[in-house]
Amino acid sequence: MQSPLATNDFTILQSQLTETVSALNDAMEDLLPELEGCKEDKIIEAMRYSAFSEGKRLRPFLVVNSAKLFGVNFASAIQVAVAIELIHTFSLVHDDLPAMDDDDFRRGQPSCHKKFDEATAILAGDALFALAFEIASDDSTHPDPRVRINLVKAISQAVGYDGMVGGQMLDLISETEKLTFSEVVRLQRMKTGALFELSCEAGAILGRASQQSHQSLKSYANNIGLAFQIIDDLLDSEGTRTETGKLDVDEKPHRETLIHHIGPEKAREHAQVLANQAVEYLKPFDERANVLRDLAHYIVDRKE
Ligand code: GRG
């Protein structure tokens, strides 16, 4: 069979992704059910509005396919995939707030604070974050408490000052201060790469994998995370509100990206180099990691 890299045909990968999305939505329906009859139901409505909106679900796909490398039970993997997707959703809800990126649209629909109001969006984000930890630490996620503690620790590290929060801080600083190339790379590693790393590491944690396997997967994720962000910035810089579901870049304050440093063509080439590097790190997993290999190339090839 020809590789997707040669043909740009990601049909099989897309159908695998669709299967994961369906399993994820079912699990999320159980873990974040509709509630009726309480005065505070609006918070659940806002959480569900954001969580069930149409995202690409790449992070859950990474969790499921890293876990598969170690023969992890699918129910455990999908539960952790939900937890990580909820954290991602939380970060998007807060990122869209006027005090942060100030985006009126997300995933092609009004962002949470536009659909509801700012206070509700802040609370919905907080509740999604809390629910993610509740799920990760629940007995049903993994029978071994050490595994659950390792998961919770990995999640905490990915989201904290040395992860997404730190990356977001740098991003906000870049509105008014010029960042060097390596500072932009650090920003993107923290803001975007940390959750990609966590998604792959979660599979290794659930599978009680060796340190070497952990490291290989983290390096893979690190590279695709950076490649993903470069393509995201390219799509943002080329796209319009209708194509990306976001505000036109011209309407937004300046934020530093690698495109500002090396230009769009070199940025795309760099993303391709990163995807190739990512694939190199999968060698220890032989053909069992083919889905992850395809995903690395898909991330660079994607049009949305
Ligand atoms: C404490 C977790 C936590 C976060 C607070 C707001 C914040 C700090 C961080 C923002 C992080 C952020 C929004 C990063 C952007 C990463 C990114 C490229 C998001 C878009 O990912 P896609 O394209 O989104 O996978 P979909 O909609 O497809 O899920």
Side-chain angles (χ1 to χ4, degrees):
M1 194 172 80
Q2 269 194 307
S3 83
L5 181 59
T7 59
N8 278 356
D9 180 3
F10 294 101
T11 324
I12 297 174
L13 186 80
Q14 273 158 343
S15 78
Q16 288 161 328
L17 187 52
T18 304
E19 266 175 47
T20 303
V21 171
S22 158
L24 182 91
N25 286 343
D26 289 350
M28 216 153 63
E29 196 58 65
D30 290 341
L31 294 160
L32 180 51
E34 262 177 282
L35 277 187
E36 272 167 37
C38 294
K39 271 222 157 56
E40 71 279 16
D41 281 352
K42 186 178 172 190
I43 194 67
I44 303 272
E45 201 193 322
M47 290 164 79
R48 285 177 56 93
Y49 174 78
S50 299
F52 284 99
S53 60
E54 248 183 67
K56 289 181 282 302
R57 313 297 200 197
L58 294 181
R59 295 152 193 83
F61 193 61
L62 283 171
V63 177
V64 165
N65 285 289
S66 326
K68 232 184 222 172
L69 295 175
F70 310 105
V72 172
N73 170 312
F74 184 73
S76 288
I78 205 75
Q79 203 136 303
V80 173
V82 170
I84 293 180
E85 184 65 13
L86 295 184
I87 286 177
H88 171 56
T89 308
F90 152 60
S91 77
L92 301 180
V93 169
H94 278 203
D95 187 53
D96 290 339
L97 289 167
M100 299 266 185
D101 221 21
D102 196 9
D103 262 316
D104 290 354
F105 292 91
R106 171 66 64 182
R107 295 175 169 171
Q109 61 179 34
S111 42
C112 192
H113 67 278
K114 282 285 161 188
K115 171 79 181 170
F116 298 88
D117 53 69
E118 263 185 71
T120 306
I122 292 169
L123 290 174
D126 292 344
L128 288 164
F129 194 49
L131 181 59
F133 282 95
E134 189 182 334
I135 294 168
S137 57
D138 195 81
D139 292 5
S140 62
T141 293
H142 199 283
D144 183 347
R146 276 168 309 181
V147 166
R148 301 199 301 271
I149 284 185
N150 286 338
L151 273 175
V152 168
K153 187 174 173 197
I155 296 173
S156 311
Q157 285 172 337
V159 299
Y161 69 89
D162 200 23
M164 298 171 79
V165 169
Q168 181 75 350
M169 192 73 240
L170 266 175
D171 203 20
L172 292 170
I173 289 169
S174 88
E175 263 185 40
T176 51
E177 283 179 40
K178 185 123 188 68
L179 302 186
T180 63
F181 182 90
S182 61
E183 283 169 338
V184 179
V185 170
R186 189 157 155 267
L187 181 172
Q188 299 188 341
R189 280 220 161 96
M190 293 159 90
K191 193 180 99 165
T192 307
L195 210 53
F196 275 76
E197 269 191 39
L198 172 68
S199 305
C200 288
E201 201 188 0
I205 292 173
L206 285 170
R208 289 181 273 220
S210 67
Q211 256 328 98
Q212 202 196 340
S213 294
H214 269 260
Q215 205 40 59
S216 301
L217 276 176
K218 279 180 83 164
S219 304
Y220 159 82
N222 197 290
N223 281 286
I224 59 162
L226 282 180
F228 178 87
Q229 185 61 60
I230 291 173
I231 300 299
D232 208 57
D233 292 332
L234 280 170
L235 291 172
D236 264 357
S237 72
E238 293 157 1
T240 64
R241 189 179 302 177
T242 43
E243 275 178 56
T244 64
K246 291 180 187 170
L247 277 178
D248 196 306
V249 272
D250 294 341
E251 298 173 37
K252 301 185 72 182
H254 172 80
R255 292 283 169 87
E256 286 278 286
T257 69
L258 288 185
I259 303 166
H260 298 124
H261 283 264
I262 56 178
E265 270 169 42
K266 283 218 157 53
R268 186 169 286 283
E269 278 167 33
H270 188 54
Q272 189 58 65
V273 169
L274 289 164
N276 293 341
Q277 257 168 228
V279 167
E280 284 297 303
Y281 285 109
L282 296 174
K283 272 201 178 123
F285 305 109
D286 52 56
E287 74 280 359
R288 286 171 299 142
N290 278 350
V291 178
L292 296 177
R293 285 187 185 90
D294 292 352
L295 184 69
H297 298 304
Y298 173 69
I299 276 175
V300 177
D301 192 69
R302 74 196 172 97
K303 305 286 179 277
E304 56 179 6

